[in-house]
Amino acid sequence: MLIKDVVLGEDAPKALLLEKHKEFLLSYGKKSHMDYEHKMTEYLRMSGYYWGLTALSLMGDLEHAGKEEILNFVQECQNPCGGISPAPGHDPHLLYTLSAVQILCLYDALDILDKEAIVKYVSGLQQDDGSFAGDKWGEIDTRFSFCALACLSFVKRLDAVNVDKAVEYILQCMNFDGGFGCRPGSESHAGQIYCCLGSLDLAKGDLLGWWLSERQLPSGGLNGRPEKLPDVCYSWWVLASLSMLGRLHWIDHDLLRSFILACQDSETGGISDRPGDIPDPFHTLFGLAGLSLFGDEHLVPIHPVFCLPYPVIDRLGIQTQSLH
Ligand SMILES: COc1ccc(S(=O)(=O)N2Cc3cc(C#N)ccc3N(Cc3cncn3C)C[C@H]2Cc2ccccc2)cc1
Ligand SMILES: [Zn+2]
């Protein structure tokens, strides 16, 4: 079966051409301002700035981009309604409102915008079913749910929208193939998957991460529910979940490590649920597994979902959902 792909030429670059990319991006803005391409891409200018500036920032070169000129441009693009346009004279839209907020975050200059106006604009675009329109013309797309929740997260105002309804709508956009589309029933697309998973994480990730990190007690041990005693096996249930959420660092590693080590039986070996109890294979596994998740140099790294050593998972070449 012929699969659609490309062939990498022999002369294709093999090293990362960082200096070239810096030149490319820094000179891009300096092209003649009235040339045709520049005019025809005016409708996405704010996003263009976000793409270039973030790329420069990744290369540690943001300071060479004209900060004052860009901050002035962003201010010129804010509308009385609070929404931000891609360029002066264009209609405001969620896409460019997010790009502008991201640019200001890069420069730590969020306060040059009227935050309350942005909050009003973004929250005003949420529909009764929880979805978000991109602008006043009403196009609905899960991309805009992400833009809205990301914007509000940056200004710490997720309270301004109905987050549960937003989540409810996004889950309706999940397809039988595990992917997400722009509206219920739309075909799965990687871009929409990024937006939907990102939205779910923004909406519920911190809440869940906080509940999990609240499991840690002064002893360093983790319990399974509030008001319960710590137990080594929760080192796994809680840590593996936080690891999946990308919030493993929300638990004090050293404190937990000292708890697990205190649960070891120095005579017989093995780890128990709590210091002084009888060790057993169950808690020995989950104590070591917790230490492995924190990257203990003496232990093989463990997969947070499969609870098996990564080399085993890699050898099997399996994904979390078998495709065949
Ligand atoms: C106390 O004797 C027991 C009691 C129950 C069981 S069990 O039902 O098979 N099982 C597995 C388990 C195995 C061992 C070992 N070796 C020890 C305990 C333990 N528990 C009990 C436990 C652990 N932390 C606190 N509690 C009370 C969990 C339980 C249920 C479970 C199974 C699989 C995965 C997760 C949880 C086995 C022995
Ligand atoms: Zn236990």
Side-chain angles (χ1 to χ4, degrees), residues 93-151:
H93 192 286
L94 261 183
L95 291 170
Y96 309 111
T97 304
L98 175 58
S99 290
V101 166
Q102 288 172 305
I103 289 167
L104 296 184
C105 288
L106 283 173
Y107 284 119
D108 190 17
L110 262 181
D111 50 21
I112 71 167
L113 283 182
D114 177 347
K115 285 187 201 172
E116 269 320 299
I118 289 179
V119 171
K120 193 164 60 65
Y121 175 72
V122 173
S123 53
L125 289 169
Q126 184 167 34
Q127 311 300 302
D128 294 344
D129 64 1
S131 65
F132 283 85
D135 63 9
K136 66 183 179 187
W137 303 111
E139 181 195 359
I140 303 296
D141 187 316
T142 46
R143 280 181 299 146
F144 307 146
S145 298
F146 177 73
C147 291
L149 296 177
C151 265

Side-chain angles (χ1 to χ4, degrees), residues 231-234 237 273-274 279-283 286:
D231 178 333
V232 156
C233 66
Y234 285 102
W237 313 128
D273 59 350
R274 279 183 282 277
D280 62 46
F282 186 87
H283 292 92
F286 291 118

Side-chain angles (χ1 to χ4, degrees), residues 152-199:
L152 293 174
S153 296
F154 283 124
V155 297
K156 299 181 173 48
R157 287 296 315 278
L158 270 177
D159 61 286
V161 292
N162 187 328
V163 172
D164 290 338
K165 285 295 276 182
V167 168
E168 191 184 306
Y169 178 79
I170 287 164
L171 292 176
Q172 286 165 18
C173 299
M174 186 164 171
N175 293 319
F176 60 92
D177 58 11
F180 290 83
C182 53
R183 284 178 294 280
S186 303
E187 69 168 336
S188 296
H189 182 295
Q192 308 302 138
I193 291 167
Y194 165 81
C195 290
C196 291
L197 286 185
S199 298

